[in-house]
């Protein structure tokens, strides 16, 4: 019973809720920055990804980091 009360206090604590909310906000904010970068730069970055072979996509460091281009290939 004591453990249940302590767990309830931890879950419903405003500080814990604030930290959890801050972490969720931070993740969404970083994801929105990534989406904005992709929208701005897919015309310059993704042709290199489209022209690369599967082997280059796996091994070439300049191309392997462009996996997000999969969503933009039809827009090129």
């Amino acid at each position: 019973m004591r453990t249940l009360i302590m767990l309830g206090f931890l879950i419903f604590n405003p500080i814990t809720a604030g930290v959890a909310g801050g972490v969720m906000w931070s993740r969404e904010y970083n994801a929105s920055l990534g989406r904005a970068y992709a929208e701005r730069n897919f015309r310059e970055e993704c042709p290199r990804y489209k022209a690369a072979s599967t082997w280059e996509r796996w091994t070439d460091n300049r191309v392997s980091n462009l996996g997000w281009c999969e969503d933009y290939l039809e827009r090129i």
Side-chain angles (χ1 to χ4, degrees):
M1 182 66 171
R2 187 176 192 185
T3 305
L4 186 60
I5 292 172
M6 291 301 288
L7 185 61
F9 179 72
L10 182 64
I11 291 173
F12 295 109
N13 185 342
I15 295 172
T16 305
V19 169
V23 168
M24 289 171 36
W25 176 84
S26 176
R27 285 186 178 190
E28 180 57 36
Y29 180 71
N30 288 337
S32 71
L33 289 178
R35 287 189 300 270
Y37 173 83
E39 285 293 326
R40 282 192 317 269
N41 296 311
F42 77 91
R43 283 182 171 70
E44 291 84 23
E45 299 283 340
C46 294
R48 183 179 351 151
Y49 182 81
K50 186 176 183 179
S53 68
T54 303
W55 179 254
E56 289 173 326
R57 289 180 185 178
W58 289 349
T59 59
D60 189 357
N61 201 20
R62 290 173 288 157
V63 180
S64 64
N65 294 330
L66 298 175
W68 55 268
C69 283
E70 286 289 330
D71 299 333
Y72 295 92
L73 290 180
E74 71 277 354
R75 293 173 59 181
I76 294 178

